[in-house]
Amino acid sequence: MSFRVRFMVAVSMTALAAWLAAELIAGRQGVAVRGLVVLGVSAAFAHAIAQRHVRSLDAVRAALEGALSGAVRARLERSEPGALGALARAVDAVDAALRARGAQAAAERERLEAVLNGMVEGVLVLGADGRVQLANARLREFFQAWGEVGGRGPLEVIRHPIIDAALERAAASGDPVSIELVLADDRCLEMHARRFPSEGEAQGTVAVFHDVSEIRRLENHRRDFVANVSHELRTPLTAIQGFAETLQDDSLEPARRRQYVDVIVRNAERLRALIEDLLELSRIEGRMHPLALEPVDAAALAGSLLRDMRPRFDACKLAASLTGSAPAALADRRALEQVLQNLLDNAAKYTEPGGRIEVRLASDAGKLRIEVADTGIGIPEFDRARVFERFYRVDKARSRDLGGTGLGLSIVKHLVQAMDGDVFVVSSEGVGTTFSIALPLAPPRG
């Protein structure tokens, strides 16, 4: 009911009441009684209308409160004529719009959480009060921060005063702050932090943590590799240069001259072997020459190598043998030959005269197992985990005296892995060493 209608009803009832009072004063009680009946009915009708409007307004109020709180509610009666019906329709439209926006915001939040939790970087967001607002799964993993972290201080979550101080510096200025630290598990993290927005009143700070452990490890390997190559090249070059300068002396006796020439040739050969091994390792790591995997008779290949190396074994007074048999391996023939040759050469270098070298073959669980065992000096426990590293030598002086480049076992490891195999070492000092290779068996021919 409109305000105009309600005003007219109130005026009419006031006029009726005045008329009744006049009739009573004039002594016309019958007319007054009938008027009172009409007045009572009108008052009851007006009360009913007022109650209906109160209920409608209460429903609108409850609907607005429900829209603000997000509670589920019934739809308003929108068929109400006039202003109340229009108000009901407007409230229902506002409620529908708020629920649609709420659903959209929830979906955006879920997508954001999925993206953050799928990142390989750790993300930490602090509010303007310096308390944690968000920490993704990767950051929790970095710092072993489990449970509820929202509202806690960063030092409680990450437990690193260096990071806490860097976050405070970032929050105090608009400039980015970067630090690097090593965790207890030897992982190296790089943190970049910045407040947001960078200008004006700060609303918080965001920090991103990158795991740079592998990058630092590769950098260390690169530095070690350059240092080792420089050292390995300098030693024979120094010898070649020194003896070549000595040969310029015309007064040298022919016998001594020949001796110096032999030293130059020996060191030149050492340089050639080193460069060839470096190029070979580079080709293997860069996969410049893809391997051609095919069925290879490892027993026949090992037997051929033992026969070829027989003169060397005899000169060193070493006994060499081949035992066992196995089906063909799925391998690259040239690569497997190079692996076995390097292992046999290594065994001959570190086995004393009178010792024994044995090549053993067997198959187990779909793998061909080749073992090259010797009764040599063995490898200390501390060095066993590093013998496959480039230029790593257990006994540096002896290795150089024997002409080794320090790359043979590294080439073995890379070639075996390129053939989808594994290589292991078992050794005891003074007893001997066994290198084991596991390669896939070739599928049976149909």
Side-chain angles (χ1 to χ4, degrees):
M1 180 182 291
S2 67
F3 173 77
R4 180 185 299 177
V5 173
R6 292 197 299 274
F7 178 76
M8 292 177 65
V9 169
V11 170
S12 299
M13 292 186 68
T14 302
L16 180 60
W19 175 74
L20 287 172
E23 289 295 320
L24 286 172
I25 294 172
R28 291 187 284 272
Q29 287 84 0
V31 175
V33 170
R34 289 193 297 273
L36 286 172
V37 172
V38 172
L39 180 61
V41 172
S42 298
F45 177 71
H47 178 73
I49 292 175
Q51 287 296 106
R52 178 182 177 187
H53 283 289
V54 168
R55 288 194 298 271
S56 297
L57 290 173
D58 285 343
V60 170
R61 177 185 56 77
L64 288 172
E65 291 176 351
L68 291 173
S69 65
V72 179
R73 64 170 184 82
R75 307 289 287 180
L76 289 172
E77 179 56 55
R78 296 185 292 173
S79 61
E80 179 80 24
L84 278 177
L87 179 60
R89 289 189 291 275
V91 169
D92 278 344
V94 169
D95 179 67
L98 287 176
R99 291 183 186 278
R101 291 181 183 179
Q104 182 180 5
E108 291 290 342
R109 184 172 60 253
E110 290 178 358
R111 281 195 291 270
L112 177 61
E113 290 178 354
V115 170
L116 288 173
N117 289 327
M119 293 174 63
V120 297
E121 294 85 6
V123 178
L124 179 69
V125 180
L126 307 181
D129 59 355
R131 297 285 174 175
V132 175
Q133 288 187 345
L134 182 146
N136 71 344
R138 185 64 165 163
L139 182 121
R140 293 169 181 264
E141 178 192 340
F142 282 155
F143 300 102
Q144 300 298 300
W146 312 117
E148 182 58 41
V149 299
R152 297 168 62 184
L155 191 58
E156 299 177 66
V157 177
I158 55 182
R159 300 183 296 278
H160 277 273
I162 297 176
I163 297 178
D164 188 58
L167 291 171
E168 290 181 357
R169 291 200 308 273
S173 69
D175 298 327
V177 175
S178 299
I179 63 170
E180 190 170 298
L181 72 155
V182 179
L183 302 182
D185 58 0
D186 291 333
R187 277 196 293 187
C188 185
L189 296 184
E190 195 174 69
M191 185 198 83
H192 302 278
R194 188 166 191 171
R195 80 173 195 181
F196 60 90
S198 58
E199 297 180 357
E201 184 179 355
Q203 299 179 15
T205 307
V206 60
V208 180
F209 295 80
H210 304 268
D211 187 347
V212 294
S213 305
E214 184 65 16
I215 295 174
R216 297 295 177 264
R217 187 186 67 82
L218 291 175
E219 288 177 351
N220 290 335
H221 278 319
R222 178 185 57 80
R223 283 194 293 267
D224 291 344
F225 178 74
V226 171
N228 285 325
V229 169
S230 300
H231 180 77
E232 294 296 330
L233 290 173
R234 184 171 61 245
T235 302
L237 280 175
T238 300
I240 291 172
Q241 182 180 7
F243 284 99
E245 291 174 353
T246 305
L247 286 174
Q248 291 177 339
D249 185 357
D250 295 333
S251 63
L252 282 177
E253 300 176 358
R256 189 168 294 270
R257 186 180 295 275
R258 284 194 299 271
Q259 180 184 354
Y260 291 170
V261 170
D262 289 342
V263 173
I264 292 174
V265 171
R266 187 166 62 250
N267 280 277
E269 177 61 25
R270 182 176 172 183
L271 274 178
R272 184 196 61 78
L274 176 60
I275 292 171
E276 285 185 356
D277 281 353
L278 283 171
L279 291 174
E280 179 66 15
L281 190 58
S282 177
R283 285 192 291 265
I284 295 168
E285 291 180 335
R287 299 184 180 274
M288 297 179 185
H289 299 297
L291 302 183
L293 301 182
E294 59 181 357
V296 177
D297 187 343
L301 184 60
S304 175
L305 284 172
L306 288 175
R307 286 192 298 271
D308 292 343
M309 298 182 70
R310 177 66 61 186
R312 180 179 176 185
F313 293 150
D314 291 342
C316 296
K317 300 180 180 178
L318 300 174
S321 61
L322 173 64
T323 60
S325 62
L330 185 63
D332 181 277
R333 178 177 295 276
R334 178 183 172 277
L336 183 55
E337 180 179 8
Q338 187 173 359
V339 166
L340 293 177
Q341 187 166 7
N342 281 357
L343 291 179
L344 289 170
D345 180 70
N346 206 62
K349 287 178 181 176
Y350 297 101
T351 303
E352 300 294 341
R356 187 176 66 259
I357 298 174
E358 184 177 7
V359 180
R360 299 190 287 259
L361 289 90
S363 60
D364 180 37
K367 295 282 187 178
L368 168 67
R369 193 174 192 89
I370 307 174
E371 295 181 348
V372 177
D374 63 58
T375 58
I377 61 175
I379 303 172
E381 183 177 358
F382 175 79
D383 298 294
R384 288 171 205 160
R386 302 189 60 187
V387 293
F388 294 105
E389 294 180 13
R390 290 174 291 190
F391 296 113
Y392 187 82
R393 292 185 175 93
V394 177
D395 186 342
K396 296 179 174 58
R398 175 166 181 155
S399 296
R400 291 193 178 95
D401 289 342
L402 294 173
T405 64
L407 295 172
L409 290 179
S410 184
I411 291 174
V412 166
K413 178 183 177 181
H414 282 82
L415 284 175
V416 171
Q417 290 179 341
M419 292 186 288
D420 197 23
D422 295 300
V423 59
F424 315 92
V425 60
V426 177
S427 184
S428 297
E429 289 187 79
V431 177
T433 302
T434 300
F435 285 93
S436 299
I437 303 167
L439 293 172
L441 290 175
R445 295 181 179 179

